[in-house]
């Protein structure tokens, strides 16, 4: 449901604010009055007295506007701190309330002033930036309409009017622009923020216009009327998640992004938009997926598993603008889309999520391109990112060790209520389960190693079946490999599985096998633990941290078919041990692998990026 917020603010602390306050009361509107107690631009008798400020504070929010109204960019940092602190303390003494909102005099400020404002104790700072339907970052809050006609807004007004001359003329009058923007907020959702100066309204004899606007915007259903200081807690934050692939495309990275997006929207109040690759062509396709808005961006060419389109920059830039995006979360290392998003971001902060160790596969035709990416492109992406999320500690501590200072590990989580064990395995014969991509570019998942080990396993467990979840262009090659070894009839290719069907497959098999040659933190392995399966995995990436050897499963060297076969045979021959491992895996999933904890950490990182706090989030 769209959220509609209405707020007003009034600057300087002029004595005419009392007349303006009476008008706000008449129409039941809230307002924030930014008071500069000793504003040097007015005679003392034109400023609100302390008693009048006390009276205003009984019905409205009082915000600080410095003591004497200097432009912050024209005074020293030491003077800035004094102006901020003195005004805050003075107004708190006069009103008897905590002052949390601040307004930049003249709208002038620099990035260096934001930490000073935070340090003094303000939680919100309003700028004079106009024509926005969102407040934006709490310390660079934007507004919608000023009660004054601004010639410098003519281009933006022309765009709003779709370059229709009569409409441009109409909207150039601030009172008509205010009504137009209010209607837009009512239709689309967002924040309508009207602001101005009582002395300026009086100087232009605009009181009747102002009252007409107040009457127009007041008393609307499904509309919340709030103060400036209430905005940071009420405003929905807009996130653009850029992932090269997204469900129904299958894979660990895809479901990592999907689950994060879903939980952020459902439990943490984010409005999440997804940008991902679609089909070949020119047309952007929009769809809804479980409450998420997904834009599929077309590609022009595909190099191996990498879709490419240089126009993604413009498509993503348009999404950032049209969806009023506050922060981007880009996913890599599939080359192209994340880089276009970072270029398109402009001043919008980027949280960069990286999922793997090196992508090199030992194939000369591709590895030189990967080398160029990892040596030249990836470092630039890491440098530009406000914060870096890594899917496992081994990736963070080895491959990305140069950015430890601004990175953190947020590994894959699992919904342990959705993935749960059943009292008895559903399969009637000994059954192994593999879940991973079958693309030719996904050979690092190690399915071919499992197939090579199968003849050894069959000698001891002749009735074994191998359930294979996944799809891709390597399907036939895996089947041919098994047929050559005489074990083809033991493979059961299930294709992709989602939701309850996926859970049922996990509940059917006896042992989950993750024979990866190169991997980071596979989601399928975590899901297997949650469903109470004994697991056999290789000693790569974070796999030994997920599967603790001898506790909830067994670890084997990567590519060692003999060791893999021996461990799997051992578990089939010792079902009590397998059940013990499965129970331990379930306990681990419940205690330390909850999605709630993982997404809560990502929520903190995203808010930190918006607030401009760089460095590692703890």
């Amino acid at each position: 449901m769209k959220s509609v917020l209405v707020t007003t603010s009034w600057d300087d602390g002029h004595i005419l604010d009392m007349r303006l306050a009476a008008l706000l009361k008449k129409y039941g509107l809230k307002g924030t009055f930014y008071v500069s107690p000793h504003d040097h631009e007015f005679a003392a008798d034109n400023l609100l007295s302390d008693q009048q400020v006390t009276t205003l504070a009984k019905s409205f929010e009082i915000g600080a506007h410095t003591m004497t109204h200097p432009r912050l960019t024209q005074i020293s940092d030491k003077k800035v701190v004094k102006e901020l602190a003195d005004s805050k303390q003075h107004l708190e003494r006069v009103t008897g309330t905590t002052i949390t909102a601040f307004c930049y005099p003249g709208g002038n400020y620099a990035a260096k002033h934001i930490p000073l404002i935070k340090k003094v104790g303000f939680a919100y700072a309003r700028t004079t930036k106009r024509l926005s339907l969102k407040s934006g970052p709490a310390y660079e809050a934007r507004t919608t309409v000023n009660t004054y006609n601004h010639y410098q807004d003519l281009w933006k007004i022309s765009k709003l009017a779709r370059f229709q001359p009569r409409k441009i003329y109409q909207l150039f009058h601030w009172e008509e622009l205010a009504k137009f923007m209010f209607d837009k907020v009512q239709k689309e959702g967002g924040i309508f923020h009207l602001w101005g100066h009582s002395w300026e309204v009086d100087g232009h004899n605009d009181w009747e216009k102002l009252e007409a606007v107040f009457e127009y915007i007041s008393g609307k259903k499904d509309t919340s009327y709030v103060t400036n200081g209430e905005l940071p807690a009420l405003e929905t934050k807009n996130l653009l998640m850029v992932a090269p692939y997204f469900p129904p495309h299958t894979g660990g990275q895809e479901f990592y992004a999907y689950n994060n997006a879903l939980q952020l929207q459902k439990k943490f109040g984010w409005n999440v938009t997804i940008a991902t690759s679609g089909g070949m062509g020119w047309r952007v396709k929009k769809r809804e997926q479980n409450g998420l808005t997904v834009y599929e961006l077309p590609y022009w060419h595909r190099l191996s598993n990498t879709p490419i389109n240089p126009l993604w920059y413009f498509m993503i830039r348009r999404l950032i603008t049209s969806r009023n995006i506050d922060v981007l979360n880009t996913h890599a290392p599939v080359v192209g889309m994340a880089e276009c998003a970072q270029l398109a971001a402009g001043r919008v902060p980027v949280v960069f999520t990286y999922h793997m160790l090196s992508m090199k596969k030992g194939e000369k035709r591709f590895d030189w391109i990967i080398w160029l990416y990892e040596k030249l492109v990836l470092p630039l992406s890491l440098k530009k990112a406000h914060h870096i999320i890594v899917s496992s500690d081994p990736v963070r501590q080895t491959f990305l060790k140069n950015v430890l200072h601004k990175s953190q590990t947020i590994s894959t989580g699992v919904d342990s209520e959705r993935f749960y064990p059943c009292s008895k395995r559903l399969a009637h014969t000994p059954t192994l389960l593999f879940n991973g991509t079958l693309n030719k570019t996904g050979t690092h998942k190690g399915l071919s190693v499992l197939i090579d080990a199968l003849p050894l396993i069959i000698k001891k467990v002749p009735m074994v079946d191998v359930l294979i979840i996944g799809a891709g262009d390597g399907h036939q090659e895996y089947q041919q490999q098994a047929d050559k070894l005489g074990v083809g009839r033991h493979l059961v290719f299930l294709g992709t599985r989602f939701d309850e069907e996926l859970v049922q497959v996990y509940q059917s098999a006896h042992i989950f096998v993750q024979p990866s040659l190169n991997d980071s933190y596979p989601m399928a392995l975590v899901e297997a633990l949650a469903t109470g399966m004994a697991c056999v995995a290789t000693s790569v990436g974070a796999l030994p941290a997920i599967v603790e050897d001898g506790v909830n499963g067994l670890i084997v060297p990567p590519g060692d078919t003999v060791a893999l076969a021996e461990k799997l045979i051992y578990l089939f021959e010792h079902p009590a041990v397998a059940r013990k491992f499965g129970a331990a895996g379930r306990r681990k999933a419940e205690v330390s692998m909850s999605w709630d904890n993982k997404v809560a950490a990502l929520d903190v990182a995203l808010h930190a990026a918006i607030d401009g706090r760089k460095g590692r989030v703890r």
Side-chain angles (χ1 to χ4, degrees):
M1 182 177 178
K2 68 178 185 291
S3 171
V4 178
L5 302 177
V6 173
T7 191
T8 73
S9 59
W10 311 97
D11 299 358
D12 295 350
H14 195 276
I15 194 170
L16 285 169
D17 285 353
M18 301 305 292
R19 178 178 178 181
L20 200 152
L23 207 54
L24 288 169
K25 276 188 176 182
K26 179 179 178 179
Y27 292 97
L29 296 172
K30 288 189 175 183
T32 299
F33 287 87
Y34 290 106
V35 177
S36 180
H38 299 153
D39 192 326
H40 70 274
E41 296 178 0
F42 298 97
D45 57 357
N46 284 330
L47 296 175
L48 294 170
S49 67
D50 286 353
Q51 182 59 49
Q52 288 171 320
V53 173
T54 301
T55 301
L56 272 180
K58 293 177 181 179
S59 303
F60 300 98
E61 179 183 39
I62 302 299
H65 203 36
T66 69
M67 283 297 288
T68 64
H69 205 262
R71 297 332 190 233
L72 300 190
T73 53
Q74 298 175 1
I75 59 176
S76 68
D77 290 352
K78 183 178 180 180
K79 180 67 172 176
V80 167
V81 172
K82 181 171 175 55
E83 285 278 349
L84 295 171
D86 287 354
S87 63
K88 190 174 193 295
Q89 292 168 8
H90 178 91
L91 293 171
E92 287 179 343
R93 177 180 57 79
V94 169
T95 64
T97 60
T98 301
I99 304 298
T100 61
F102 173 76
C103 178
Y104 298 101
N108 296 108
Y109 71 99
K112 67 176 181 177
H113 296 130
I114 294 175
L116 303 180
I117 293 167
K118 294 180 187 178
K119 185 177 180 180
V120 169
F122 294 110
Y124 172 93
R126 203 213 75 199
T127 69
T128 57
K129 297 173 183 176
R130 299 174 295 279
L131 298 178
S132 176
L133 301 185
K134 284 187 60 63
S135 182
Y139 293 94
E140 296 180 277
R142 302 186 292 266
T143 70
T144 310
V145 177
N146 177 217
T147 58
Y148 183 77
N149 300 329
H150 292 272
Y151 287 100
Q152 59 265 46
D153 290 344
L154 187 57
W155 173 251
K156 291 181 179 179
I157 289 173
S158 299
K159 290 173 68 176
L160 287 169
R162 297 185 177 181
F163 299 99
Q164 300 174 25
R166 184 176 297 178
K167 191 70 173 178
I168 293 171
Y169 177 78
Q170 178 190 4
L171 296 185
F172 188 68
H173 296 81
W174 70 264
E175 70 278 14
E176 296 299 329
L177 179 63
K179 294 175 183 178
F180 175 86
M181 296 299 283
F182 180 76
D183 289 344
K184 191 173 178 66
V185 169
Q186 290 285 307
K187 180 180 178 181
E188 301 175 4
I191 296 172
F192 177 80
H193 188 155
L194 181 71
W195 71 282
H197 307 84
S198 58
W199 57 267
E200 195 169 57
V201 172
D202 192 71
H204 291 96
N205 198 25
D206 279 350
W207 289 107
E208 289 186 7
K209 293 179 181 178
L210 184 63
E211 183 168 3
V213 171
F214 282 0
E215 183 178 13
Y216 193 85
I217 68 176
S218 63
K220 303 299 182 184
K221 293 182 179 179
D222 301 320
T223 299
S224 298
Y225 295 87
V226 300
T227 65
N228 285 192
E230 293 172 318
L231 288 176
L234 294 174
E235 185 181 14
T236 299
K237 302 297 183 183
N238 290 333
L239 167 68
L240 177 62
M241 185 175 287
V242 182
Y245 294 106
F246 198 76
H249 195 283
T250 59
Q253 295 181 32
E254 290 83 341
F255 283 102
Y256 178 96
Y258 172 72
N259 281 294
N260 276 327
L262 204 61
Q263 298 297 324
L264 283 170
Q265 182 151 298
K266 287 186 174 181
K267 296 184 178 180
F268 292 87
W270 288 86
N271 181 31
V272 183
T273 301
I274 307 296
T276 188
S277 62
M280 182 178 288
W282 292 85
R283 184 183 173 191
V284 176
K285 295 182 179 179
K286 178 184 177 183
R287 60 182 171 87
E288 297 295 322
Q289 183 171 347
N290 206 356
L292 301 170
T293 302
V294 181
Y295 289 86
E296 296 181 350
L297 311 185
Y299 67 89
W300 286 359
H301 180 68
R302 186 183 295 275
L303 181 64
S304 182
N305 194 40
T306 303
I308 298 171
N309 187 344
L311 296 185
W312 281 340
Y313 167 88
F314 301 100
M315 298 174 188
I316 294 171
R317 184 65 194 162
R318 191 175 299 117
L319 284 178
I320 291 170
T321 302
S322 64
R323 306 287 292 185
N324 289 311
I325 297 302
D326 298 296
V327 60
L328 272 70
N329 177 213
T330 59
H331 289 253
V334 177
V335 185
M337 187 166 282
E339 288 70 33
C340 285
Q342 285 189 300
L343 289 173
R347 295 188 63 186
V348 177
V350 176
V351 174
F352 182 77
T353 300
Y354 196 84
H355 291 271
M356 290 183 66
L357 294 162
S358 174
M359 293 187 293
K360 293 178 182 177
K361 302 178 177 66
E363 300 180 32
K364 291 183 179 179
R365 58 176 178 159
F366 295 129
D367 280 0
W368 71 272
I369 299 176
I370 294 171
W371 181 89
L372 287 174
Y373 168 74
E374 293 178 351
K375 292 296 182 181
L376 301 178
V377 179
L378 179 59
L380 294 176
S381 297
L382 296 173
K383 182 179 180 180
K384 179 175 175 57
H386 287 70
H387 192 66
I388 299 164
I389 305 296
V390 185
S391 59
S392 72
D393 282 332
V395 175
R396 180 171 179 263
Q397 294 166 359
T398 57
F399 191 62
L400 299 183
K401 62 184 179 181
N402 292 332
V403 290
L404 284 174
H405 64 286
K406 65 172 183 176
S407 69
Q408 70 181 122
T409 299
I410 301 179
S411 55
T412 294
V414 67
D415 185 345
S416 58
E417 293 183 3
R418 179 172 159 230
F419 289 88
Y420 61 94
C422 57
S423 57
K424 184 179 180 180
R425 293 284 132 186
L426 302 179
H428 299 296
T429 58
T431 306
L432 296 173
L433 175 61
F434 171 89
N435 184 0
T437 178
L438 303 187
N439 283 324
K440 293 178 182 179
T441 56
T443 56
H444 63 283
K445 289 293 183 180
L447 179 55
S448 62
V449 179
L450 175 58
I451 294 173
D452 282 339
L454 201 50
L456 299 175
I457 298 170
I458 290 171
K459 289 181 181 179
K460 295 288 186 178
V461 191
M463 298 299 291
V464 69
D465 286 324
V466 181
L467 305 182
I468 299 172
I469 298 174
D473 56 6
H475 179 165
Q476 292 302 320
E477 292 185 9
Y478 288 122
Q479 184 65 66
Q480 291 169 6
Q481 177 190 355
D483 290 341
K484 287 181 181 179
L485 294 172
V487 297
R489 65 184 181 86
H490 293 269
L491 302 186
V492 181
F493 289 92
L494 299 176
T496 56
R497 288 290 186 271
F498 299 101
D499 301 324
E500 290 306 315
E501 284 187 351
L502 177 62
V503 175
Q504 288 174 7
V505 177
Y506 278 114
Q507 293 173 338
S508 296
H510 298 91
I511 303 169
F512 186 85
V513 57
Q514 187 77 49
S516 300
L517 302 171
N518 176 20
D519 219 328
S520 175
Y521 202 102
M523 178 176 288
L525 191 55
V526 179
E527 293 171 345
L529 291 184
T531 49
M533 296 185 72
C535 299
V536 176
T538 54
S539 55
V540 300
L543 274 61
I546 303 171
V547 176
E548 299 170 78
D549 193 31
V551 176
N552 56 21
L554 299 170
I555 295 293
V556 299
D560 191 332
T561 56
V562 175
L564 182 63
E566 288 177 349
K567 298 297 186 182
L568 293 171
I569 292 168
Y570 173 81
L571 289 179
F572 278 128
E573 292 180 342
H574 298 82
V577 175
R579 287 194 294 273
K580 177 184 174 183
F581 285 169
R586 172 64 185 180
R587 288 193 297 272
K588 181 172 184 175
E590 288 180 309
V591 172
S592 62
M593 294 180 169
S594 165
W595 264 122
D596 285 350
N597 295 335
K598 310 291 184 181
V599 181
L602 178 57
D603 174 67
V604 171
L606 293 170
H607 276 97
I610 291 175
D611 291 342
R613 297 193 301 268
K614 297 186 179 181
R616 186 178 178 184
V617 178
R618 299 183 184 273

